[in-house]
Amino acid sequence: MTGQTIERVTTVVIGAGHAGLAASKFLTDRSIDHVVLERGEVANSWRRERWDSLRLLTPNWQCSVPGLRYEGPDPDGYLTMTEIAEFIERFAKVSGAPVRTSTNVTRVRRAGDEYQVTTSDGEMRCRAVVIASGACNQPALPQFAAAVPVSVEQLTPFDYSDPGQLPDGGVLVVGASATGVQLAAELAQSGRPVTLSVGEHVRLPRTYRGRDILWWMDATGVWDERYDEVDDLTRARRLPSPQLVGTSERATLDMNALTEMGVGLVGRWAAVRDGRALFSGGLRNVFSLADLKMTRLLDTFDEWARAHGHDGEVGPPERFAPTRVPASGRLQLDLGSGEIAAIVWATGFRPDYGWLHVPVVDAKGQLRHDGGVVDSPGLYALGLPVLRRRKSTFIYGIEDDAREVIGHLAGYLAA
Ligand SMILES: Cc1cc2nc3c(=O)[nH]c(=O)nc-3n(C[C@H](O)[C@H](O)[C@H](O)COP(=O)(O)OP(=O)(O)OC[C@H]3O[C@@H](n4cnc5c(N)ncnc54)[C@H](O)[C@@H]3O)c2cc1C
């Protein structure tokens, strides 16, 4: 016995990003006593873990959380990091969320039919825990990153702030999801020679028939598709983010746009051997697949517009040029030659559950849950990919998920 006081609360929410705050809003609406524990500040990820030039890729009209939506002068624009952090801060204020900042959760374990939560500030006991600590706590790097010669500087999106920070010389950006294409474009525009290693990706135009592509996704219900209706849920949860960027020109940032900026494209990085990066030769197939999937999606949008009588309100159907395959497809690159001074790993992110001492994390480091109901009574999650819908990780996707997850939690507490 340590004599230490243990604070009691019905529910602990971990993380004060928009997901944790949405959980708090619905807990408050149901008069369920709770606290939101945050290791940094409200909207910490947007303030500390993103690069300087980043803007949301979702348009402002889509910036909405329970009880608060963007009402500024530019609904079709894209928020900067400062603006989104301020928006989430406002959400915390208007919802009156009981946030405790600078409170790191270092351990959660089961104690009888409750949970014991250890924080940098003391011990707590609660009946339910909502994990809203984020899906992108750390960069996901391939194992062969360790075999890259030390002469080449390596950065992740967490370390990267702006092109000026990199040593002079060529940059190899690895990964062609939203992060990879945005960083490749920014580095190329700063005058550096950039090579982009491209694996499976999701190609999308920024606008289609005069509307933001995300308008189409929303209107046709693509992102409302529920997790229990998705054909291959494991695959859907691993899908890379779409190649989109939020700029005032509403420009498309696909492989053709990057080629025009002078970015050299190589295939998926498969291994490092004798100081050489070895790339897969399947670029043509990777490009055709991305083109095919985009065209199929646009077909469904056209079909929807026709069937619902919207053809007159939008522009005429468009089709986009196939992705151009580089004439000289390089299959390897000597990392010791000096051609590449830095590598930026845009190979995705993963959550960090190092503090979770409940056996609910699988061998791949992912939580075992059914639509946010974690495999341990009273334990819940929010903000994970396709948690309950395709839109689950997007800001505007949290409201429906949080309402349902907190509804389940309330039922658990009442039972
Ligand atoms: C680069 C990037 C760009 C994105 N762009 C968009 C976009 O344009 N539009 C969009 O809708 N979505 C976007 N997203 C997706 C998503 O909206 C963000 O990832 C968002 O930050 C997720 O919100 P969240 O509340 O789930 O997690 P987070 O915002 O990450 O919040 C989790 C919080 O938990 C805290 N925390 C973690 N561990 C602990 C602990 N042990 N103890 C206490 N606190 C802890 C963290 O400090 C953090 O504040 C983007 C994501 C990334 C990575």
Side-chain angles (χ1 to χ4, degrees):
M1 301 294 277
T2 61
Q4 195 185 29
T5 9
I6 297 181
E7 186 183 348
R8 299 199 77 90
V9 61
T10 305
T11 299
V12 165
V13 179
I14 304 171
H18 75 270
L21 296 171
S24 170
K25 164 83 169 77
F26 288 113
L27 288 166
T28 301
D29 287 355
R30 288 175 177 270
S31 306
I32 297 174
D33 130 75
H34 67 283
V35 288
V36 181
L37 305 180
E38 167 55 54
R39 63 182 171 188
E41 310 168 60
V42 169
N44 209 52
S45 307
W46 298 109
R47 294 179 205 275
R48 308 262 171 263
E49 295 169 2
R50 313 278 193 255
W51 58 98
D52 293 356
S53 65
L54 182 65
R55 282 176 175 267
L56 293 191
L57 55 77
T58 41
N60 294 342
W61 55 262
Q62 228 173 26
C63 195
S64 71
V65 287
L68 184 69
R69 58 175 50 250
Y70 173 89
E71 277 171 353
D74 187 15
D76 292 322
Y78 309 91
L79 294 187
T80 63
M81 291 304 97
T82 308
E83 290 166 336
I84 183 63
E86 282 167 5
F87 178 81
I88 292 171
E89 181 90 51
R90 195 148 18 105
F91 179 32
K93 288 216 174 79
V94 297
S95 62
V99 181
R100 293 189 196 166
T101 53
S102 306
T103 307
N104 190 19
V105 173
T106 54
R107 191 175 66 170
V108 171
R109 67 178 183 88
R110 193 106 176 108
D113 58 359
E114 295 186 327
Y115 290 94
Q116 174 125 2
V117 178
T118 308
T119 79
S120 49
D121 217 23
E123 299 284 335
M124 304 180 94
R125 279 280 178 114
C126 57
R127 292 184 58 204
V129 173
V130 181
I131 301 171
S133 51
C136 305
N137 304 120
Q138 42 196 354
L141 263 59
Q143 274 186 347
F144 57 74
V148 169
V150 287
S151 56
V152 179
E153 189 164 323
Q154 298 186 55
L155 287 95
T156 71
F158 279 33
D159 315 314
Y160 177 86
S161 52
D162 68 277
Q165 164 201 16
L166 268 64
D168 286 342
V171 185
L172 173 58
V173 178
V174 190
S177 62
T179 300
V181 297
Q182 291 181 25
L183 297 185
E186 169 161 289
L187 288 160
Q189 282 159 346
S190 77
R192 282 162 190 279
V194 175
T195 305
L196 176 65
S197 166
V198 186
E200 186 194 358
H201 57 272
V202 179
R203 180 185 180 195
L204 287 180
R206 178 74 264 185
T207 57
Y208 182 61
R209 300 179 68 176
R211 300 283 178 106
D212 196 292
I213 193 74
L214 299 189
W215 178 86
W216 288 95
M217 298 281 213
D218 187 44
T220 57
V222 170
W223 276 355
D224 276 325
E225 192 184 358
R226 291 178 55 91
Y227 78 111
D228 42 11
E229 291 165 355
V230 171
D231 279 344
D232 185 346
L233 184 58
T234 309
R235 188 175 149 67
R237 285 183 169 158
R238 283 207 213 115
L239 217 58
S241 56
Q243 292 174 338
L244 288 174
V245 61
T247 61
S248 43
E249 303 80 35
R250 298 169 95 195
T252 292
L253 188 56
D254 58 12
M255 296 296 100
N256 287 346
L258 286 172
T259 300
E260 272 152 37
M261 288 179 202
V263 173
L265 305 180
V266 294
R268 187 183 155 77
W269 189 346
V272 177
R273 201 167 302 143
D274 303 327
R276 290 175 169 270
L278 307 185
F279 304 111
S280 139
L283 260 191
R284 184 177 299 276
N285 289 345
V286 171
F287 287 171
S288 327
L289 190 63
D291 291 352
L292 181 78
K293 286 189 175 166
M294 176 181 71
T295 307
R296 272 199 204 138
L297 185 69
L298 301 181
D299 286 344
T300 64
F301 293 167
D302 292 342
E303 182 51 42
W304 172 87
R306 209 171 14 254
H308 292 81
H310 293 294
D311 268 338
E313 299 159 20
V314 292
E318 298 169 79
R319 283 299 170 264
F320 300 93
T323 305
R324 290 193 295 280
V325 183
S328 62
R330 295 178 78 178
L331 294 177
Q332 40 178 288
L333 219 158
D334 183 356
L335 296 170
S337 69
E339 181 185 345
I340 297 297
I343 293 171
V344 180
W345 296 104
T347 34
F349 302 93
R350 54 193 166 84
D352 177 9
Y353 299 122
W355 44 268
L356 185 56
H357 294 220
V358 184
V360 290
V361 180
D362 69 19
K364 294 205 162 114
Q366 303 295 331
L367 268 189
R368 277 200 313 276
H369 69 91
D370 180 5
V373 181
V374 182
D375 208 2
S376 175
L379 197 56
Y380 294 88
L382 278 171
L384 303 179
V386 201
L387 184 103
R388 295 186 74 81
R389 291 168 180 80
R390 282 197 187 268
K391 65 182 177 184
S392 291
T393 36
F394 288 95
I395 291 162
Y396 90 113
I398 202 64
E399 179 156 2
D400 292 339
D401 278 15
R403 184 186 300 106
E404 291 172 9
V405 165
I406 298 306
H408 193 290
L409 184 152
Y412 168 77
L413 292 177

